[in-house]
């Protein structure tokens, strides 16, 4: 059931949704063909295509780049590793600027191998973001911290709630409306959070991106079994209502990593299904 009396923001395709089937060029053409107005590329496909080529193609197709996935991965076992991560994030910021992306999504990273110091990893994340913030500001690329579900705390992101992400924003001086540092709200990662409504309200204009998919029951793979909107247990319209009440007026970015289902289907069928579900259950 969609949110009564309201229409969701326009659909954007996070290219992970059809990454096994299509190159970035094919994703751009697919969006244009299906009337999808937004796209969010991943850096591996961007590197494959070449940033300048991709930027030109996306411009010609008149697509809005709702985000570049992804920067982050800040924690490392030693100073050299942390410096390398900072340099890599600066390159990601430059790519995002070249694409005129609305934000660079930060999947912040987990604990360095062999470490059990979760608090230390979280501090490294904050220090890493602090170290690239000026570069992002100069390039006019907002950084969107994406809290990930706690199952990924060890290996992908040790920032696991919106509250934590917003604490980092606060610590680094991002006031509501400043626009340089905020959060990506992905329903897959935050739907379970009892404090969700309050934290989204707290985020206000710092909600820089809204990612949609669904949580399947049962989930057969912790990374690659995300569901199509409407096939799981997330009340997506309720969360959309929260981000809109906070002032968000941007795209709904569909991001589905699904090794055994959607990655095996005809990508045109996947896009048609995304469009239909965006209308009916978001
Ligand atoms: Zn996401």
């Amino acid at each position: 059931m969609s949110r009564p009396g309201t229409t969701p923001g326009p659909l954007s395709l996070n290219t992970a949704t059809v990454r096994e089937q299509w190159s970035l060029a094919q994703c751009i053409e697919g969006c244009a063909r299906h009337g999808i107005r937004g796209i969010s590329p991943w850096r591996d496909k961007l590197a494959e295509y070449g940033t300048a080529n991709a930027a030109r193609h996306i411009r010609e197709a008149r697509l809005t780049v709702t985000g570049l996935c992804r920067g982050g991965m800040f924690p490392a076992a030693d100073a050299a590793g942390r410096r390398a991560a900072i340099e890599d994030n600066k390159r990601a910021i430059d790519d995002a600027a070249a694409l005129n992306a609305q934000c660079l999504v930060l999947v912040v990273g987990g604990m360095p191998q062999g470490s059990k110091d979760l608090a230390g990893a979280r501090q490294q994340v904050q220090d890493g973001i602090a170290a690239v913030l000026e570069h992002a500001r100069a390039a006019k690329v907002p950084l969107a911290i994406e809290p990930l579900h706690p199952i990924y705390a060890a290996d992908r992101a040790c920032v696991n709630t919106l509250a934590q992400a917003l604490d980092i924003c606060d610590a680094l001086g991002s006031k509501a409306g400043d626009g340089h540092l905020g959060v990506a709200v992905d329903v897959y990662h935050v739907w379970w959070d009892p404090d969700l409504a309050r934290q989204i309200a707290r985020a206000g204009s710092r909600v820089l991106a809204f990612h949609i998919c669904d949580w399947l029951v049962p989930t057969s793979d912790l990374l690659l079994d995300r569901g199509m909107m409407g096939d799981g247990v997330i009340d997506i319209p309720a969360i959309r209502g929260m981000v809109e009440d906070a002032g968000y007026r941007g795209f709904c970015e569909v991001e589905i990593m699904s090794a055994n289902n959607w990655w095996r289907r005809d990508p045109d069928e996947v896009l048609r299904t995304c469009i239909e579900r965006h209308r009916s259950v978001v």
Side-chain angles (χ1 to χ4, degrees):
M1 185 98 104
S2 198
R3 200 182 178 212
T6 65
T7 319
L11 187 63
S12 171
L13 176 71
N14 185 299
T15 61
T17 307
V18 285
R19 79 159 200 219
E20 295 301 301
Q21 300 101 316
W22 275 350
S23 67
L24 180 52
Q26 287 173 304
C27 288
I28 296 166
E29 283 153 21
C31 284
R33 196 164 59 243
H34 288 272
I36 294 174
R37 292 159 47 201
I39 192 165
S40 179
W42 280 64
R43 286 175 72 202
D44 53 342
K45 300 266 182 166
L46 183 65
E48 225 172 75
Y49 194 16
T51 303
N53 289 337
R56 188 180 328 111
H57 196 171
I58 288 169
R59 236 184 356 259
E60 283 166 4
R62 297 174 187 279
L63 301 179
T64 298
V65 178
T66 54
L68 176 65
C69 292
R70 55 180 161 60
M73 298 293 166
F74 292 106
D78 56 27
R82 290 190 285 278
R83 269 199 305 277
I86 286 166
E87 289 315 307
D88 184 57
N89 274 274
K90 289 181 178 171
R91 285 191 293 275
I93 289 166
D94 295 342
D95 282 343
L99 296 178
N100 199 22
Q102 291 183 331
C103 64
L104 173 68
V105 172
L106 299 182
V107 172
V108 298
M111 292 186 289
Q113 210 176 2
S115 167
K116 295 187 180 183
D117 183 5
L118 183 56
R122 287 173 170 155
Q123 186 59 50
Q124 288 188 24
V125 166
Q126 184 166 319
D127 295 345
I129 295 172
V132 300
L133 198 53
E134 200 43 56
H135 191 90
R137 202 172 266 148
K140 297 191 166 53
V141 173
L143 300 177
I145 304 171
E146 181 165 348
L148 259 53
H149 190 286
I151 50 175
Y152 307 111
D155 59 348
R156 283 195 162 69
C158 58
V159 171
N160 306 106
T161 62
L162 274 173
Q164 274 182 291
L166 290 167
D167 285 349
I168 292 174
C169 294
D170 286 348
L172 298 181
S174 129
K175 311 237 176 334
D178 149 294
H180 295 297
L181 182 61
V183 295
V185 175
D186 186 324
V187 298
Y188 194 76
H189 296 301
V190 301
W191 69 276
W192 57 273
D193 185 348
D195 207 25
L196 186 59
R198 215 159 57 97
Q199 294 302 328
I200 289 177
R202 173 186 167 198
S205 61
R206 291 179 293 183
V207 176
L208 301 177
F210 179 51
H211 298 175
I212 53 173
C213 68
D214 215 333
W215 186 281
L216 298 176
V217 179
T219 290
S220 66
D221 184 292
L222 293 183
L223 186 62
L224 303 178
D225 189 29
R226 294 194 189 192
M228 178 64 66
M229 296 80 76
D231 289 348
V233 297
I234 302 178
D235 187 345
I236 302 172
I239 302 177
R240 174 166 75 84
M242 293 174 201
V243 298
E244 288 175 355
D245 288 347
Y248 184 75
R249 295 290 177 271
F251 284 70
C252 299
E253 178 179 319
V254 59
E255 182 185 35
I256 300 173
M257 299 161 196
S258 167
N260 292 322
N261 186 358
W262 298 101
W263 282 355
R264 296 187 176 198
R265 300 208 194 193
D266 167 18
D268 284 297
E269 179 205 340
V270 176
L271 264 55
R272 277 195 299 273
T273 310
C274 290
I275 290 166
E276 192 276 310
R277 298 296 180 86
H278 173 243
R279 285 195 190 120
S280 60
V281 297
V282 173

